[in-house]
Every structure is written in structure tokens, then in C-alpha cells.
Amino acid sequence: MKTCLVVDDSKVIRKVARHILETLDFTVSEASDGREALDQCLASPPDVILLDWNMPVMSGMDFLRALRGSTVPTRPKVVFCTTENGMAYIRAAIEAGADEYVMKPFDRDTLESKLQIVGVA
């Protein structure tokens, strides 16, 4: 079974994402900020990470840079999931190592499509 780490400071977003991902047969874990997510990834990297941009402690971009610079044995796919929709944000995310980008609010079909694009659905 594929694994997904949902990283978002909103408990509601984590709950919605968890529900969608579980219907797509993912085992889901959660983190409320980038620091917590990085610790989880270093301990046990997931197949894919659904990542929020704006979070306390460590932002999504800071987490992504730290993850890509880490010694994680496998490279998880990263899908940014955010309200930031400007091309500059999308470009910055892709350049920092994100694999795909999805806008909030999202639905099951949109998320499933993005997961298929990165090769994990």
C-alpha cells in the first residue's frame, strides 16, 4: 500500500486530505508543520507528500529545501497543496524540487489526477 504524509497546519485540511487519500488506498500520516514532517521523513520516508506552503515553525518551501538536501534514502514525490496560485509561486515550488502543484480547495478527482501525474496513484 502506498504511503502519504499530509503536511498542513489546518486540522480540517488534513482530515479532508486523509479521507480522500484513504479512499485511494493510501496509508496516511500527518504533520502540522515542516519541522514535524522532516522528522517523520528522516525516520520513514513516505511515497508522496501533500505539502502546504504557509505554516508556522517551518514553511513548506523551507521543508522542501531541507528534504531535498537531506540524506533520505528514497526521494518522496512532493505535491504542493496551497492557496498560493501565482505563476511565481508555482515556478519557485517546482525549482525547489516539488513534483506537482494543486490548488485549495481540491476534490478527490483533482487530487487523484495529480497523484497519477507524479506516478503514485
Side-chain angles (χ1 to χ4, degrees):
M1 190 175 264
K2 299 278 186 185
T3 57
C4 181
L5 173 60
V6 178
V7 187
D8 201 300
D9 56 328
S10 166
K11 189 172 186 173
V12 172
I13 295 292
R14 291 194 314 265
K15 184 175 182 177
V16 168
R18 172 184 286 275
H19 174 73
I20 291 171
L21 289 159
E22 286 176 344
T23 68
L24 297 171
D25 293 325
F26 278 85
T27 298
V28 181
S29 55
E30 299 178 17
S32 59
D33 63 63
R35 168 56 50 202
E36 188 182 330
L38 189 58
D39 291 344
Q40 286 190 40
C41 287
L42 293 174
S44 178
D47 295 308
V48 65
I49 299 167
L50 195 59
L51 181 63
D52 186 24
W53 191 293
N54 300 304
M55 296 178 288
V57 185
M58 179 186 268
S59 73
M61 283 297 282
D62 289 341
F63 161 80
L64 183 57
R65 288 186 191 106
L67 178 68
R68 293 304 188 222
S70 74
T71 58
V72 173
T74 57
R75 185 179 190 269
K77 297 292 185 181
V78 175
V79 178
F80 252 112
C81 179
T82 183
T83 56
E84 305 292 356
N85 65 352
M87 281 307 298
Y89 285 99
I90 297 170
R91 190 176 304 110
I94 300 301
E95 287 172 1
D99 297 288
E100 210 18 276
Y101 204 94
V102 65
M103 295 301 303
K104 291 179 185 174
F106 54 85
D107 59 19
R108 184 184 190 279
D109 291 342
T110 303
L111 190 54
E112 184 176 21
S113 163
K114 295 296 184 175
L115 294 170
Q116 285 172 347
I117 289 168
V118 301
V120 294

